[in-house]
Amino acid sequence: MQWLGAGRYLGPRRSLLESLLMKLLVLAGDGIGPEITAASVQVLKAASDRFRLDLEFEHEAIGHAGIERHGHALHDRVLARARDADGVVMGPHDANRYPAEHKTYPNPSSIIRKELDLFANLRPARTRPGVPAHVESMDLVIARENTEGFMADRNMYRGHAEFMPTRNLAQSIRNISYEGCARITRAACKLAMQRRRKVTLLHKAHVFKLSDGLFLKAARDVLADYPKIETEEVIVDAMMALVVRRPESFDVVVATNLYGDLISDLTAELSGGLGIGASLNSSLERAIAQAAHGSAPDIAGRNVANPTAMILSCAMLLVWLAARHQRPDFRQAGECIEAAIDAQLKEGRTRDLGGTLDTDAFGEMVARRVARG
Ligand code: ATP
């Protein structure tokens, strides 16, 4: 695994003791969030002990708990702590069920991605032994641009990019910038160089000649610096069929925001379902581990949710920290967690994957595997 990192900014000044600790902020969130983040923290603690990572955990309230404690689903104070942390573990939110005055738009997740400029949303999809999948073999990463595109709640400096000029006409504005496309492609290329060295660009430039045309221009310019990478350009609607027909042929797939949002749900489902869909939102300076799925209110509080996606997202965060701080021990820890998940999935799973294990039992077993190596 390799996730982009290694920027030059090293965060706020700290004491020597503090600088030895790696501070992770845990935001449990709504629905199944508290259950899956608790399981993930247990696994991270096991990794920290085994690899002597000196992880320090802080907790803050967001979502319903944030409204109760701070009067806001994502209070500025929480945002400031997220900015100062070395990394963030964030559970899902259920903004639809917030009290009317707190039905924020943008929701907590959109706010944090925008405020921290987390431009890269990396969503791996890999078939895993023991996990029923719709395809035989898949091991790819969607590199989704995370700050612009069609996402009307976060693609403007101020205001909102959807509006209704008349009662029966709604319009949305899509933002595509050269630099936005270039930086996500750079992140994808760094990742591809650590993998199978293939990058696929998703576009619909024959229709969106200017916007997807600019995406292709920026991406091609970046790819020119990576002659060892094989490049493929695929029309986004054709991709929906191709990823089913020949999933094994894709390595790193670069997409603007909405295309990436759609295709990554498809690849997660094809490879085994939402319960295993990990995701990392990152810039060069900051990263947030956040499972690709939502808050699953239908199963919340019953100890049946699958924590795999959240745990794998945390493993991605450790690998990102390894690159950022030149700490190979963090990479080892991240890879150890992924191996422990694979070993555990072969032997026992949660109910969504046809098993019988509860959330906490699954987390406990993965933590034990990490501890003993
Ligand atoms: P949201 O609006 O927060 O995205 P949603 O219900 O539309 O919520 P999800 O929360 O992702 O979408 O849930 C979709 C379905 O997948 C639900 O039936 C849910 O129970 C199931 N699901 C999602 N995540 C998990 C998980 N980690 N473990 C087990 N089932 C899950």
Side-chain angles (χ1 to χ4, degrees):
M1 284 191 294
Q2 167 74 40
W3 312 107
L4 83 155
R8 245 177 277 129
Y9 171 71
L10 286 175
R13 192 179 284 254
R14 297 189 189 170
S15 72
L16 183 61
L17 178 64
E18 275 182 326
S19 65
L20 294 174
L21 298 170
M22 202 64 88
K23 210 165 49 175
L24 298 188
L25 180 68
V26 181
L27 308 171
D30 299 319
I32 59 172
E35 297 156 81
I36 59 171
T37 51
S40 304
V41 169
Q42 189 179 14
V43 172
L44 283 170
K45 281 186 175 158
S48 182
D49 289 346
R50 171 150 179 236
F51 293 93
R52 298 169 192 243
L53 304 180
D54 288 321
L55 294 182
E56 187 188 58
F57 297 91
E58 297 182 345
H59 296 260
E60 261 295 0
I62 61 163
H64 285 287
I67 293 171
E68 265 174 39
R69 193 171 309 162
H70 304 299
H72 201 289
L74 181 68
H75 195 276
D76 283 348
R77 205 178 316 143
V78 179
L79 198 53
R81 289 187 75 177
R83 232 182 233 118
D84 284 351
D86 292 296
V88 178
V89 175
M90 186 174 180
H93 56 77
D94 187 10
N96 284 337
R97 292 178 194 223
Y98 295 164
E101 67 277 23
H102 291 284
K103 277 198 175 154
T104 48
Y105 195 55
N107 59 48
S109 182
S110 307
I111 296 173
I112 207 163
R113 288 178 196 179
K114 182 172 176 174
E115 290 296 321
L116 272 53
D117 196 27
L118 304 175
F119 67 87
N121 181 204
L122 301 180
R123 293 186 164 193
R126 176 155 87 72
T127 44
R128 293 176 188 272
V131 178
H134 299 282
V135 292
E136 209 169 292
S137 170
M138 173 186 277
D139 180 7
L140 57 78
V141 180
I142 306 294
R144 167 194 175 196
E145 201 291 323
N146 215 17
T147 56
E148 44 186 42
F150 255 129
M151 297 326 210
D153 57 342
R154 73 203 76 151
N155 67 1
M156 294 283 137
Y157 167 63
R158 265 205 192 155
H160 199 272
E162 255 200 324
F163 40 85
M164 295 184 73
T166 68
R167 182 190 292 268
N168 293 313
L169 176 67
Q171 297 182 333
S172 303
I173 293 181
R174 178 181 186 228
N175 264 4
I176 298 291
S177 74
Y178 182 93
E179 184 45 32
C181 299
R183 65 180 180 169
I184 188 63
T185 310
R186 254 180 248 124
C189 288
K190 278 191 205 168
L191 182 56
M193 289 301 289
Q194 306 291 326
R195 292 174 47 97
R196 302 197 306 276
R197 296 187 179 179
K198 180 170 176 191
V199 164
T200 302
L201 305 176
L202 291 194
H203 71 95
K204 201 170 172 69
H206 57 299
V207 176
F208 297 103
K209 288 185 196 299
L210 298 183
S211 48
D212 280 9
L214 186 61
F215 163 74
L216 282 182
K217 175 172 175 17
R220 286 172 188 156
D221 285 354
V222 171
L223 278 155
D225 294 335
Y226 291 87
K228 291 191 175 144
I229 292 181
E230 179 195 346
T231 309
E232 180 183 34
E233 296 178 2
V234 173
I235 294 175
V236 64
D237 36 301
M239 180 68 175
M240 301 295 157
L242 292 180
V243 81
V244 176
R245 200 181 304 153
R246 54 170 173 92
E248 70 290 342
S249 71
F250 298 102
D251 180 17
V252 180
V253 179
V254 191
T256 52
N257 206 336
L258 184 61
Y259 298 165
D261 191 24
L262 303 178
I263 192 74
S264 63
D265 264 29
L266 176 60
T267 51
E269 182 59 26
L270 288 173
S271 66
L274 282 177
I276 63 166
S279 148
L280 188 79
N281 292 291
S282 63
S283 66
L284 296 180
E285 289 92 25
R286 295 189 181 82
I288 298 188
Q290 204 181 359
H293 59 71
S295 62
D298 52 332
I299 56 166
R302 288 170 36 206
N303 197 24
V304 296
N306 186 351
T308 298
M310 192 72 244
I311 296 172
L312 286 173
S313 305
C314 291
M316 292 173 75
L317 176 61
L318 293 185
V319 176
W320 179 89
L321 286 166
R324 168 140 174 73
H325 298 282
Q326 290 84 48
R327 292 276 305 263
D329 47 344
F330 274 69
R331 162 180 285 275
Q332 274 180 303
E335 289 173 352
C336 172
I337 291 175
E338 182 155 16
I341 284 279
D342 277 344
Q344 181 54 45
L345 286 172
K346 262 190 256 175
E347 288 183 17
R349 293 168 292 280
T350 45
R351 288 171 179 74
D352 57 311
L353 299 179
T356 55
L357 290 176
D358 290 336
T359 312
D360 54 5
F362 185 88
E364 171 91 40
M365 286 178 181
V366 175
R368 263 195 254 140
R369 286 177 190 277
V370 168
R372 66 171 183 255

